[in-house]
Amino acid sequence: MAVANPTWVNHPGFYIKEEMEARGWNQRDLAFILGCPEQSLNTIMTGKRGISPDMAQALGETFDVPAKFFANLQQAYELARANRPDPGVKIRARLAQYPVREMIKRQWIENSDATMLESQLVRFLEVKDSEHIPYMAHAAKKSKYEDRNISPPQIAWLFRVRQIAKSISVPRYSDDRLREALVDLEDLLNAPEEARHVPRIMHECGVRYVIVERLPNSKIDGVCFWFGKSPVIGMSLIRDKIDNFWFVLRHEIEHVLRGHGREAEMIDEGIEDAKNDDLPEEERIANEAAAQFCVPQAKLESFLRRKHPLYYEKDVLALSRVLNRHSGLIVGQMQRRLDDYAYLTRHLAKIRRFVLPGAIADGWGQVVPVSL
């Protein structure tokens, strides 16, 4: 590495000599005052040795200045002579907003030098240069994602979904086919393993359906957006539970049916947990459709009124049979209504293992082969 030009900062010995000359002292005089061997002082005067904190204190007393004056001289001299850091340090520091190491691990980008990493991130995020990467300190202006408080890991997840969705070939999208498919999807609600049919049904309707594992330290349920007339539904399966899977899927389907996400991606985080009164109308509408799909709400309301305040497991199972729904869907809805997330949790069957084999899925040890 190149060494900075040190000529603009002199060694502290230069300034000590000036102070000595102003007082008419020689080196032997100063050594006597400091109580140190002249030879030790000579190594400081000639720049062979730096000024220690103890010596800075002693020099301060000698010349009646703060000890920090000499300590700062020494520090400035050492910094001036220090090796300049690799230019990649500054670039990597800028990129640290994004989970770059995890993205390399997941094979979204390749491990390379800092300049190439920055170039890859520019292509990955589909911006024209590094100054347009969201959340970069030197960015010319805030991006639409920053305005919406979408975090860098969520942005990275979103663009991985975009990458994969672009590579998918699907039939022409049809609203009518998707509405008809809701009947077929409802027939799958009675058993976790039936979810394996979802990727095929979405494909037949012309929906680009993608599953991407979330990145660490980020929360995201799903997303809906469009490539022209072709809708995309992305899911993270962040919660491996039957109720969450179907709720998020139906939520995103409602976005598609209503044409949401054409102008800006509908990025959904914690959609089941939020109170409907606090949500934008698009999200409230999608939540209501999802809840109705999972468990007909009038039937659930009636059940809760009749059984209040004792909700026995046998009654939940009986309702499950009547509605032809897996008990986990009813339990999930009841947990939120009762604000009791410990209620009958054993019914919340895991579903990821049934969905992933037939889906276009990235994560959990597998990588969808797409290029930037």
Side-chain angles (χ1 to χ4, degrees), residues 185 188-201 209 211 242 245-246 249 350-356 358-359:
L185 292 172
L188 307 179
L189 298 180
N190 59 0
E193 58 270 23
E194 293 300 293
R196 70 187 186 276
H197 300 294
V198 167
R200 173 184 56 79
I201 293 172
Y209 180 68
I211 298 173
I242 187 170
F245 172 80
W246 285 109
L249 177 65
K350 294 184 181 300
I351 204 165
R352 187 186 299 149
R353 62 194 175 99
F354 300 116
V355 181
L356 292 184

Side-chain angles (χ1 to χ4, degrees), residues 140-180:
K141 62 178 181 178
K142 274 190 173 184
S143 72
K144 61 181 180 178
Y145 301 111
E146 291 172 87
D147 288 336
R148 294 161 62 193
N149 293 318
I150 299 168
S151 69
Q154 290 173 326
I155 295 171
W157 180 89
L158 165 64
F159 276 87
R160 183 59 174 176
V161 173
R162 287 180 61 89
Q163 258 187 11
I164 296 170
K166 282 181 179 178
S167 70
I168 299 173
S169 177
V170 292
R172 185 172 182 174
Y173 169 70
S174 165
D175 259 347
D176 290 338
R177 278 207 303 270
L178 185 55
R179 291 186 190 281
E180 291 167 4

Side-chain angles (χ1 to χ4, degrees), residues 61-322:
E61 291 290 329
T62 299
F63 296 116
D64 194 24
V65 296
K68 188 179 289 188
F69 172 77
F70 291 100
N72 288 343
L73 287 176
Q74 183 64 41
Q75 183 182 47
Y77 177 75
E78 290 174 358
L79 283 174
R81 293 180 59 83
N83 289 334
R84 287 179 180 152
D86 177 354
V89 171
K90 190 170 184 178
I91 296 174
R92 288 191 293 269
R94 288 204 306 267
L95 301 184
Q97 293 274 13
Y98 286 84
V100 173
R101 288 187 297 115
E102 184 67 21
M103 293 168 73
I104 293 170
K105 180 181 176 182
R106 298 269 294 270
Q107 298 181 40
W108 296 4
I109 58 177
E110 295 180 3
N111 195 7
S112 58
D113 63 67
T115 302
M116 185 57 69
L117 281 176
E118 186 174 51
S119 177
Q120 288 186 78
L121 195 58
V122 164
R123 294 199 302 275
F124 186 93
L125 298 177
E126 300 175 12
V127 292
K128 62 182 181 180
D129 54 47
S130 63
E131 291 190 0
H132 289 80
I133 296 176
Y135 289 97
M136 290 295 100
H138 64 299
K141 62 178 181 178
K142 274 190 173 184
S143 72
K144 61 181 180 178
Y145 301 111
E146 291 172 87
D147 288 336
R148 294 161 62 193
N149 293 318
I150 299 168
S151 69
Q154 290 173 326
I155 295 171
W157 180 89
L158 165 64
F159 276 87
R160 183 59 174 176
V161 173
R162 287 180 61 89
Q163 258 187 11
I164 296 170
K166 282 181 179 178
S167 70
I168 299 173
S169 177
V170 292
R172 185 172 182 174
Y173 169 70
S174 165
D175 259 347
D176 290 338
R177 278 207 303 270
L178 185 55
R179 291 186 190 281
E180 291 167 4
L182 289 175
V183 177
D184 297 329
L185 292 172
E186 193 170 338
D187 289 339
L188 307 179
L189 298 180
N190 59 0
E193 58 270 23
E194 293 300 293
R196 70 187 186 276
H197 300 294
V198 167
R200 173 184 56 79
I201 293 172
M202 292 292 98
H203 176 86
E204 290 171 353
C205 295
V207 176
R208 303 179 194 225
Y209 180 68
V210 179
I211 298 173
V212 175
E213 182 184 4
R214 74 179 182 97
L215 290 160
N217 303 316
S218 71
K219 294 181 180 180
I220 197 160
D221 289 303
V223 67
C224 166
F225 60 91
W226 297 71
F227 289 134
K229 296 181 179 180
S230 180
V232 177
I233 289 178
M235 292 176 62
S236 71
L237 305 191
I238 186 173
R239 303 179 189 181
D240 188 11
K241 300 186 303 179
I242 187 170
D243 63 317
N244 181 261
F245 172 80
W246 285 109
F247 191 96
V248 173
L249 177 65
R250 183 61 183 88
H251 180 104
E252 303 304 340
I253 287 174
E254 190 66 17
H255 280 324
V256 172
L257 290 172
R258 292 181 178 268
H260 299 163
R262 290 184 183 274
E263 300 299 322
E265 302 93 338
M266 303 297 298
I267 300 175
D268 295 311
E269 172 192 347
I271 54 178
E272 287 185 287
D273 303 329
K275 302 295 183 185
N276 272 352
D277 292 344
D278 302 330
L279 293 173
E281 186 173 356
E282 291 170 322
E283 299 297 351
R284 179 183 58 77
I285 289 170
N287 262 5
E288 289 172 356
Q292 179 67 20
F293 177 78
C294 289
V295 183
Q297 295 299 287
K299 300 281 188 183
L300 182 60
E301 291 282 1
S302 174
F303 175 81
L304 293 173
R305 283 196 304 269
R306 288 185 290 106
K307 301 300 180 180
H308 179 78
L310 301 175
Y311 307 106
Y312 293 115
E313 184 175 20
K314 64 181 181 63
D315 294 327
V316 172
L317 293 174
L319 180 63
S320 168
R321 290 190 293 271
V322 169

Side-chain angles (χ1 to χ4, degrees), residues 319-332:
L319 180 63
S320 168
R321 290 190 293 271
V322 169
L323 298 179
N324 194 31
R325 258 93 167 149
H326 187 272
S327 57
L329 293 170
I330 297 166
V331 167

